[in-house]
Amino acid sequence: MATLICPEEHSPVTDAEAIRKACKGWGTDEKALISILGHRNASQRKIIRKTYEEMYNEDLVKRLESELSGHFERAVYRWMLDPQERDAVILHVAIKEKPILDYTSIIELSCIYSPQDFLAVKCAYQARYKRSLEEDLAQHCTGDLRKLLVSVVGIYRYAGDEIDAKLAKSEADVIYNAIKSKEFNHEEIVRIITTRSKTQLRATLNRYKDDYTSSLTKHLRDDGEKTANAFLGALRTTIRCITYDPQAYYEKVIRRALMKSGIDEESVTRVIVSRADKDLEVIKELYYKRNSVSLDHAISKHTSGDYMDFLLTLLGNKK
């Protein structure tokens, strides 16, 4: 399922020496860095970081950050972090380092990850930034959006497979009655979406569609709104992240990122870097089925230079 091509055995000392050499002199040897780091899994990268610091008394991630630039630097930087630390950085960037809060990244991690995995990310966030994720979210958004996002990241969802059919029917009706009255921000909608287990919520949404002949996401649109409604957009994203197959969701994210008039490098980097050693092969297959063109080709068309070479390496391109 992973696209990452890496050796079963490697010498962290040799890798550290080669990386040091690539970072010394008049110019950085980006191709050498890609040939090493682009072919090492998370545990191997962690050992390389530790070995490099022991050999040269220097943080490898900080060294790479100073040597590289642009989208290539951001991709390599996130690739070199431990997975939970990388996700913590993604959350922090989404909350604090963009002109408008990026609720998509926040919802992706909180709703696609298992409760245990997301709790580990939240712990990494606190350790790195000395503040809770909920605290920062509450400070940087307001109103209905704040209520939704703080609830989404704060809940530890039950992960069981039990379904209460009567509850699914009654809560589908509650949601429909609120939407019929244009009360999109009704507290019961937020409560149901943010607290029910994924299995129970899927049952409720399926019942909603059966009874009211349309998906909830289609009904969660205010025809009278003239500008984008962040709360409704976040609510629809939450539902998609819970109900979609994760690989299908990520395929849609990267497809939309590449379809824009100006490529959304943040989303492209997030998907490829975070899924390369997990399930990116499945995402590639879904992309090809949906677009009749390979993801490798799309990346080659819309990116360039060392950034392109690094992404293609993570996609399993051997060149």
Side-chain angles (χ1 to χ4, degrees):
M1 292 173 66
T3 55
L4 181 66
I5 300 172
C6 56
E8 292 185 7
E9 297 182 4
H10 76 110
S11 167
V13 171
T14 300
D15 285 346
E17 290 173 343
I19 292 169
R20 179 74 169 185
K21 181 179 178 181
C23 293
K24 291 187 72 176
W26 289 103
T28 306
D29 188 347
E30 289 86 355
K31 293 190 184 325
L33 292 176
I34 293 171
S35 70
I36 300 168
L37 301 178
H39 293 287
R40 300 291 184 271
N41 61 33
S43 60
Q44 291 170 337
R45 297 193 303 274
K46 186 173 184 177
I47 294 172
I48 292 170
R49 281 184 65 182
K50 184 174 182 293
T51 302
Y52 185 95
E53 184 168 1
E54 291 173 347
M55 292 175 64
Y56 302 110
N57 195 31
E58 180 181 48
D59 187 325
L60 175 56
V61 173
K62 290 183 178 179
R63 180 58 185 262
L64 292 171
E65 193 176 12
S66 68
E67 291 286 336
L68 309 177
S69 62
H71 299 301
F72 177 50
E73 179 273 320
R74 282 188 284 276
V76 171
Y77 176 81
R78 293 183 184 183
W79 180 244
M80 289 302 298
L81 296 175
D82 289 339
Q84 291 84 6
E85 191 177 10
R86 175 175 63 229
D87 290 334
V89 169
I90 289 172
L91 289 169
H92 191 262
V93 169
I95 295 170
K96 288 192 167 186
E97 297 182 21
K98 291 193 171 185
I100 300 174
L101 182 137
D102 174 19
Y103 59 77
T104 301
S105 300
I106 299 163
I107 294 169
E108 275 181 21
L109 294 176
S110 60
C111 293
I112 291 178
Y113 281 19
S114 70
Q116 296 92 331
D117 288 344
F118 188 60
L119 179 60
V121 173
K122 289 173 64 177
C123 290
Y125 189 98
Q126 286 195 23
R128 187 178 180 92
Y129 300 110
K130 313 306 178 187
R131 294 164 66 92
S132 73
L133 176 60
E134 293 88 341
E135 184 180 5
D136 278 346
L137 263 178
Q139 183 179 347
H140 288 84
C141 58
T142 59
D144 294 330
L145 181 61
R146 176 166 63 186
K147 180 168 64 175
L148 173 63
L149 293 181
V150 171
S151 296
V152 164
V153 304
I155 193 70
Y156 189 93
R157 288 184 192 269
Y158 175 61
D161 294 328
E162 296 87 351
I163 293 175
D164 185 330
K166 289 184 178 179
L167 181 63
K169 164 62 178 171
S170 66
E171 293 193 334
D173 292 341
V174 167
I175 293 172
Y176 178 75
N177 288 331
I179 289 177
K180 186 169 64 174
S181 301
K182 295 289 186 180
E183 295 180 83
F184 300 111
N185 61 347
H186 195 288
E187 64 180 10
E188 284 297 278
I189 294 180
V190 175
R191 178 188 65 81
I192 293 167
I193 298 300
T194 59
T195 65
R196 292 301 183 198
S197 71
K198 292 182 180 180
T199 304
Q200 181 63 40
L201 187 53
R202 290 185 188 114
T204 298
L205 296 173
N206 287 335
R207 186 58 188 261
Y208 184 98
K209 188 174 183 179
D210 290 342
D211 289 353
Y212 302 111
T213 67
S214 179
S215 67
L216 177 56
T217 52
K218 289 184 179 179
H219 281 170
L220 283 172
R221 296 181 184 276
D222 187 352
D223 295 334
E225 64 180 356
K226 295 183 179 179
T227 58
N229 185 314
F231 168 73
L232 289 181
L235 198 57
R236 291 192 296 267
T237 299
T238 303
I239 293 169
R240 292 188 185 109
C241 286
I242 290 172
T243 57
Y244 276 34
D245 175 81
Q247 291 79 29
Y249 175 81
Y250 284 119
E251 185 281 326
K252 187 172 185 177
V253 170
I254 202 164
R255 170 164 38 93
R256 287 185 168 181
L258 293 170
M259 285 173 59
K260 293 183 177 182
S261 55
I263 177 178
D264 178 2
E265 290 90 351
E266 178 70 27
S267 294
V268 170
T269 298
R270 185 173 75 249
V271 173
I272 293 179
V273 167
S274 65
R275 312 310 294 188
D277 49 7
K278 294 180 180 178
D279 53 9
L280 190 54
E281 187 63 46
V282 178
I283 296 169
K284 284 178 64 175
E285 292 171 0
L286 291 172
Y287 187 92
Y288 183 79
K289 289 178 181 178
R290 180 67 173 77
N291 303 280
S292 299
V293 64
S294 71
L295 182 54
D296 298 57
H297 178 78
I299 292 297
S300 297
K301 179 180 178 181
H302 293 284
T303 63
S304 61
D306 297 318
Y307 177 57
M308 177 190 72
D309 291 340
F310 184 59
L311 295 183
L312 290 176
T313 299
L314 298 187
L315 282 164
N317 191 309
K318 295 182 180 180
K319 293 183 178 181

